[in-house]
Amino acid sequence: MKEELIVKAYEVAKERYAAIGMDTDKAMDALQKVQLSLHCWQADDVTGFESAGELTGGIQATGNYPGKARNIEELRQDVLKAASYIPGNHRLNLHEIYGDFGGQFVDRDQVEPKHFESWMQWAAEHNMKLDFNSTSFSHPKSGSLSLSNPDKSIRDFWIEHTKRCRAIAEEMGKRQGDPCIMNLWIHDGSKDITVNRMKYREILKNSLDEIFATEYKNMKDCVESKVFGIGLESYTVGSSDFYTAYGASHNKIVTLDTGHFHPTESVADKLSSLLLFIPEVMLHVSRPVRWDSDHVTIMNDDTLDLCKEIVRCDALDRVHIGLDYFDASINRIGAYVIGSRATQKCMLQALLEPLDTLRKYEANDQGFERLALLEEAKSLPWNAVWDMFCLKNNVPVGEEFIAEVEKYEAEVTSKRN
Ligand code: RNT
Ligand code: ZN
């Protein structure tokens, strides 16, 4: 797109926003600071480099679009490619199964920081901060219960794994001079009715206490709940109530995955409650369709509401934004770009909201004025600001990235089989 055109449109938008008291330059500066944590697992349908076993744990990537990353080099190449179409500087969220195991089988209770040495170097070279996740799924010992397993030997295996993951996250955080956010999600649950709801939750609580006994300075723990998993439909040990209570009583970050709640539940509404009782929130921005299907995030009301709530709660520095979807049915690099840019577009609109005026209306009981301005704000030229933001960041403006992704597919990913 012609640069002059983008600049011209931006100048008009700037004036238009100034008229409602909003500064578009300031909004762009704020957006520049918002780092997304890109989930490494979108590049290869949550396969990882540990073994070629099937994906278990009640999650599923559907589709078999050609060209998925088959090894660490390809995954890195794809992530960098995707990042080159996303304005700003972002983080990479690794799962334990994506370690650099050098062709050896390293079991989960044996993993060490050295298996992430090459990742740490690579991340530093590319100015990408790392986040981390323990991996309870896709392993012979996964079963239906991991950290909540009554069998001590299995439980201890997963406790050891998770402790080691925290040590890895600590090393990452130390090396990058910025806390590594480590997410703990386990699939534990039951396919059919259980008569031991309390028992497994009590075991999980004790396992977590043991895991978190070591205090670290360079990593932050977060715990992620879920409603149900495939094959684990009747009961989830780590439910929302469980982790909300655990987080509030143990000062832990709670992860809200937008696909992990009942379909009509507003995840945006949870922020203001949680942030009063827990230090920070981690988000897994996704798009559930009918169920926790992990479709690619788009600019819809759910994502918009979520971003608006972050800004309205003045919580940009207390909410970490990660993405979590895995669509294997379309170009995977394109999926990264769509979801990331959609989240950023939502955040930009949130940053351009005339909040002071809206709040003044609300304080004065001017319901009509508040609703009218909310409606008008939806169609203000935020897209001209977005284009300018992309231009400033040297990434493709508008739909230009489609052709770029196609080119990479023709030249690189289509040659993989
Ligand atoms: C699963 C959770 C979890 C995973 C990743 C791969 O339902 O959302 O965050 O998607 O750990
Ligand atoms: Zn998630």
Side-chain angles (χ1 to χ4, degrees):
M1 207 179 293
K2 279 222 192 81
E3 202 175 310
E4 313 141 34
L5 213 67
I6 296 162
V7 175
K8 221 161 139 189
Y10 177 71
E11 291 306 326
V12 175
K14 192 176 154 84
E15 265 188 52
R16 196 82 166 71
Y17 274 104
I20 57 156
M22 295 307 292
D23 183 333
T24 51
D25 289 326
K26 262 199 192 147
M28 284 199 291
D29 288 347
L31 187 62
Q32 198 74 47
K33 294 194 194 112
V34 175
Q35 288 199 316
L36 303 177
S37 192
L38 303 179
H39 53 315
C40 75
W41 51 94
Q42 162 58 39
D44 74 339
D45 317 335
V46 213
T47 308
F49 312 127
E50 181 191 71
S51 71
E54 59 160 345
L55 177 60
T56 70
I59 51 178
Q60 215 169 64
T62 52
N64 54 359
Y65 197 82
K68 80 172 186 178
R70 296 164 299 181
N71 52 49
I72 214 162
E73 288 75 32
E74 290 179 354
L75 191 128
R76 286 176 183 163
Q77 190 187 1
D78 289 359
V79 166
L80 289 180
K81 206 24 141 186
S84 74
Y85 304 135
I86 305 166
N89 173 256
H90 302 285
R91 306 169 72 92
L92 181 65
N93 200 2
L94 289 175
H95 240 284
E96 187 272 347
I97 48 172
Y98 289 79
D100 191 350
F101 303 119
Q104 306 289 310
F105 175 68
V106 177
D107 211 349
R108 308 261 174 107
D109 64 342
Q110 300 298 318
V111 68
E112 291 179 51
K114 71 174 184 206
H115 299 116
F116 289 86
E117 179 60 38
S118 74
W119 271 118
M120 291 186 261
Q121 282 178 19
W122 176 86
E125 271 163 38
H126 297 281
N127 189 27
M128 236 184 210
K129 304 266 182 342
L130 296 173
D131 293 319
F132 200 54
N133 299 257
S134 51
T135 314
S136 72
F137 50 84
S138 307
H139 185 277
K141 290 197 170 79
S142 294
S144 300
L145 301 170
S146 62
L147 290 176
S148 66
N149 204 310
D151 180 332
K152 188 171 181 324
S153 69
I154 294 190
R155 184 168 77 244
D156 284 348
F157 175 86
W158 292 111
I159 291 175
E160 181 62 26
H161 167 71
T162 319
K163 282 183 175 171
R164 283 169 177 259
C165 285
R166 290 184 77 230
I168 294 166
E170 171 69 9
E171 185 60 26
M172 287 175 173
K174 195 162 39 176
R175 295 265 290 266
Q176 66 198 16
D178 187 63
C180 169
I181 312 293
M182 184 181 134
N183 188 54
L184 193 161
W185 169 73
I186 54 164
H187 57 279
D188 295 32
S190 167
K191 180 182 170 83
D192 217 327
I193 299 163
T194 168
V195 291
N196 282 313
R197 284 176 185 268
M198 181 72 140
K199 175 176 169 174
Y200 306 122
R201 290 191 171 131
E202 191 177 9
I203 297 175
L204 177 57
K205 178 190 170 293
N206 292 336
S207 294
L208 294 177
D209 288 349
E210 199 178 325
I211 288 163
F212 295 141
T214 310
E215 298 268 344
Y216 287 118
K217 286 200 174 68
N218 301 290
M219 60 87 66
K220 293 180 181 179
D221 295 294
C222 39
V223 286
E224 180 182 10
S225 71
K226 193 161 177 171
V227 175
F228 78 98
I230 299 171
L232 303 163
E233 291 87 354
S234 298
Y235 166 73
T236 302
V237 187
S239 61
S240 175
D241 306 87
F242 178 91
Y243 283 126
T244 303
Y246 193 90
S249 54
H250 292 71
N251 205 33
K252 293 291 178 196
I253 301 177
V254 169
T255 300
L256 298 176
D257 184 311
T258 57
H260 291 191
F261 297 88
H262 295 284
T264 56
E265 211 174 334
S266 162
V267 178
D269 181 53
K270 297 176 187 302
L271 286 181
S272 50
S273 295
L274 284 175
L275 287 169
L276 289 173
F277 302 100
I278 58 169
E280 293 163 59
V281 164
M282 171 80 202
L283 295 175
H284 276 186
V285 186
S286 182
R287 175 168 53 110
V289 177
R290 311 278 176 220
W291 66 289
D292 176 27
S293 54
D294 292 298
H295 279 64
V296 179
T297 299
I298 57 171
M299 195 189 86
N300 58 12
D301 285 348
D302 296 338
T303 318
L304 273 164
D305 286 348
L306 193 60
C307 291
K308 285 181 185 167
E309 266 312 305
I310 299 173
V311 175
R312 290 174 188 172
C313 291
D314 195 16
L316 277 162
D317 54 349
R318 290 178 66 201
V319 178
H320 306 274
I321 309 173
L323 303 176
D324 185 11
Y325 50 81
F326 23 100
D327 191 338
S329 73
I330 59 172
N331 182 299
R332 293 172 185 79
I333 289 106
Y336 270 127
V337 184
I338 293 169
S340 305
R341 289 174 64 125
T343 308
Q344 290 180 297
K345 285 180 194 170
C346 290
M347 189 51 89
L348 178 61
Q349 289 175 71
L351 290 164
L352 286 168
E353 192 172 61
L355 206 48
D356 289 347
T357 311
L358 288 164
R359 286 196 166 139
K360 195 186 78 203
Y361 287 149
E362 185 161 315
N364 294 338
D365 251 342
Q366 291 171 281
F368 149 68
E369 289 83 349
R370 180 185 59 192
L371 190 59
L373 187 54
L374 279 169
E375 278 304 287
E376 287 306 309
K378 288 180 182 171
S379 51
L380 283 174
W382 61 269
N383 59 322
V385 184
W386 168 248
D387 286 349
M388 187 65 185
F389 185 71
C390 290
L391 183 71
K392 268 181 60 177
N393 277 280
N394 251 318
V395 303
V397 173
E399 72 289 351
E400 280 167 8
F401 75 88
I402 300 174
E404 301 275 337
V405 171
E406 284 176 338
K407 187 162 167 263
Y408 184 67
E409 173 168 297
E411 289 170 3
V412 182
T413 55
S414 67
K415 308 235 159 85
R416 299 173 186 164
N417 46 43

